[in-house]
């Protein structure tokens, strides 16, 4: 366990906005987590890789920085293997390791920044797959009991960029380990248009998990801004899901609007398209802006404050609501 005081959060979050954290405690074990939760007088905030957080002010709560490492095989048979990762492990490195072993299931989620422990939090997803697909269980320490509890998928209420850890259990449970069951006879998912095109470009007709992994890394490197070059937290907003009759009305008014019918009858709209239609793509105000190629990604060109980015996000939300009567929900967590 290592405690630091007066830490600039710009170095611990990918938006790189400056704000001071009074106390940051790095934890390397479950006992460390329990000790921090027991001793913290007020709320504790949990920090992984800081790739899904916008800091809009100094933080006086104790920040628990997750650094529990390790990888254990829990079960194995000829078809599957269940591996439990420490919550502080890098997500991308863990996916890369699985692919190297020939264990399939998470390869579409390559290059998502952050830690394994944060993955269940918003049920990370990309290129047609969510972490829920391979999730077996996670272990969390509840603030009120200080006891480890095993959360099976049924208890996690996973949804689109959503889980119980983002709602009823937000800031209440520290996830210390996450276990995934992977396939030794993987069936690849390559229906997503970008992935298909990338495979076609290399004339790959029967892709392996390593092919999917490489394709996803190539696409993401080409399309998404690298936080080490320009501060950002990936998609700032979730794609809104609206009622079918509302979508029909919008289609009548905006025939070019893309839309994706959901199993429950509702319709998902691409937030990036809505934001782009409101003229925000490439917009810059001081050092806060909307990425030039990705309307969904808000960026810090250098010296933006979290508040400036937050104000910009609020204006984007308002203009989308006024033009389309659609409420955008923020994906990024505001501190
Ligand atoms: C360039 C870029 C691309 C991205 N692409 C995607 C994408 O394709 N799909 C996607 O889903 N996300 C994406 N993201 C968002 C982000 O990478 C993920 O949400 C990631 O899981 C966050 O991990 P983290 O460790 O950085 O979490 P943090 O940002 O540190 O924390 C995020 C939230 O989880 C909580 N939390 C973190 N660790 C724990 C823990 N151990 N226990 C309990 N709560 C915890 C925090 O309190 C906070 O509320 C992207 C971000 C960037 C910068």
């Amino acid at each position: 366990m290592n405690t630091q005081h007066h830490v600039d959060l710009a170095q611990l979050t990918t938006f790189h906005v400056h704000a001071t954290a009074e106390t940051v405690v790095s934890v390397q074990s479950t006992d460390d987590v329990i000790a921090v939760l027991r001793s913290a007088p007020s709320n504790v905030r949990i920090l992984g890789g800081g790739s899904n957080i916008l800091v809009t002010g100094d933080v006086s709560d104790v920040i628990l920085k997750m650094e529990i490492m390790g990888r254990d095989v829990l079960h194995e048979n000829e078809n599957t293997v269940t591996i439990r990762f420490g919550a502080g492990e890098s997500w991308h490195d863990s996916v890369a390791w699985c692919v190297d072993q020939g264990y399939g299931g998470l390869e579409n989620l390559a290059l998502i920044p952050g830690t394994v422990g944060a993955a269940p939090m918003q049920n990370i997803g990309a290129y047609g797959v969510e972490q829920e697909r391979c999730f077996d269980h996670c272990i969390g320490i509840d603030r009120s009991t200080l006891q480890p509890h095993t959360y099976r998928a049924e208890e996690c209420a996973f949804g689109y960029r959503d889980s119980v850890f983002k709602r009823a259990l937000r800031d209440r449970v520290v996830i210390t380990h996450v276990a995934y069951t992977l396939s030794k006879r993987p069936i690849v998912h390559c229906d997503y248009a970008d992935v298909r095109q990338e495979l076609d470009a290399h004339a790959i007709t029967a892709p392996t998990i390593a092919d999917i992994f490489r394709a996803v890394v190539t696409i993401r490197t080409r399309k998404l801004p690298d936080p080490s070059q320009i501060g950002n937290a990936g998609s700032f907003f979730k794609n809104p899901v609206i009622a079918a009759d509302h979508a029909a009305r919008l289609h009548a008014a905006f025939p070019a609007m893309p839309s994706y019918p959901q199993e429950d009858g509702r319709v998902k709209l691409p937030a990036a398209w809505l934001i782009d239609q409101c003229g925000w793509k490439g917009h810059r105000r001081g050092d806060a802006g909307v990425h030039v190629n990705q309307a969904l990604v808000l960026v810090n060109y250098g010296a933006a404050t979290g508040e400036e980015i937050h104000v910009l996000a609020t204006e984007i939300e308002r203009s989308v609501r006024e033009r389309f009567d659609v409420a955008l929900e923020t994906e990024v967590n505001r501190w």
Side-chain angles (χ1 to χ4, degrees):
M1 191 152 68
N2 168 35
T3 304
Q4 288 177 284
H5 295 287
H6 306 293
V7 178
D8 184 358
L9 286 170
Q11 31 171 321
L12 296 181
T13 54
T14 60
F15 252 125
H16 304 308
V17 296
H18 294 284
T20 302
E22 227 162 78
T23 310
V24 177
V25 188
S26 306
V27 295
Q28 284 90 30
S29 67
T30 299
D31 285 347
D32 286 355
V33 172
I34 294 170
V36 174
L37 293 179
R38 183 171 283 134
S39 68
S42 59
N43 278 344
V44 171
R45 308 224 194 156
I46 308 154
L47 178 68
S51 63
N52 207 13
I53 292 173
L54 175 66
V55 185
T56 56
D58 293 343
V59 179
S60 55
D61 293 341
V62 170
I63 295 180
L64 183 156
K65 183 162 181 336
M66 177 48 65
E67 291 183 0
I68 297 178
M69 310 306 271
R71 196 168 54 216
D72 296 306
V73 174
L74 299 184
H75 311 287
E76 189 167 6
N77 61 33
E78 61 185 37
N79 295 318
T80 64
V81 56
T82 302
I83 300 159
R84 190 168 61 202
F85 297 91
E89 289 285 347
S90 147
W91 175 263
H92 173 73
D93 292 352
S94 303
V95 172
W97 180 83
C98 292
V99 171
D100 279 350
Q101 308 305 307
Y103 303 154
L106 296 174
E107 52 282 355
N108 294 50
L109 306 180
L111 220 60
I112 296 181
T115 55
V116 170
M121 168 82 181
Q122 72 157 9
N123 189 24
I124 57 169
Y127 301 101
V129 170
E130 293 172 321
Q131 65 88 45
E132 169 183 14
R133 176 188 184 199
C134 300
F135 181 89
D136 187 80
H137 68 268
C138 65
I139 301 174
I141 310 290
D142 191 305
R143 235 180 109 68
S144 51
T145 63
L146 299 183
Q147 295 294 322
H149 177 80
T150 299
Y151 296 87
R152 298 268 160 205
E154 314 79 81
E155 278 179 87
C156 295
F158 289 128
Y160 162 60
R161 300 294 185 275
D162 206 10
S163 77
V164 71
F165 305 108
K166 216 175 163 175
R167 296 189 181 271
L169 298 182
R170 177 184 276 274
D171 291 332
R172 261 191 53 195
V173 170
V174 182
I175 296 170
T176 58
H177 297 85
V178 189
Y180 290 102
T181 298
L182 300 146
S183 175
K184 293 183 177 178
R185 302 169 193 271
I187 298 169
V188 297
H189 278 242
C190 52
D191 303 338
Y192 212 88
D194 282 357
V195 176
R196 193 67 269 163
Q197 273 169 20
E198 185 62 31
L199 295 170
D200 287 348
H202 293 87
I204 298 169
T205 50
T208 63
I209 56 171
D211 293 324
I212 301 283
F213 178 86
R214 274 191 295 271
V216 169
V217 168
T218 306
I219 298 163
R220 292 184 69 103
T221 308
R222 191 168 60 223
K223 287 182 79 168
L224 290 174
D226 177 352
S228 69
Q229 307 294 320
I230 180 167
N232 76 89
S235 301
F236 199 89
F237 301 102
K238 291 166 68 163
N239 290 317
V241 182
I242 63 172
D245 58 338
H246 185 181
R249 283 197 305 280
L250 284 175
H251 260 303
F254 306 97
M257 183 183 75
S259 61
Y260 306 95
Q262 304 295 289
E263 278 174 9
D264 62 4
R266 295 184 304 157
V267 177
K268 191 188 270 187
L269 307 179
W273 188 89
L274 302 172
I275 296 168
D276 193 10
Q277 292 301 301
C278 294
W280 287 106
K281 189 148 84 179
H283 177 89
R284 179 169 177 170
R285 186 184 300 156
D287 270 355
V290 180
H291 192 263
V292 282
N293 298 325
Q294 299 290 337
L296 207 45
V297 179
L298 302 197
V299 292
N300 171 16
Y301 284 103
T305 64
E307 195 52 39
E308 285 166 347
I309 294 168
H310 173 65
V311 167
L312 181 61
T314 308
E315 289 182 28
I316 292 171
E317 271 175 65
R318 190 188 314 128
S319 65
V320 167
R321 193 169 51 245
E322 283 171 4
R323 179 128 192 235
F324 298 102
D325 191 24
V326 170
L328 289 182
E329 194 185 329
T330 305
E331 180 179 316
V332 171
N333 302 277
R334 183 176 167 212
W335 274 17

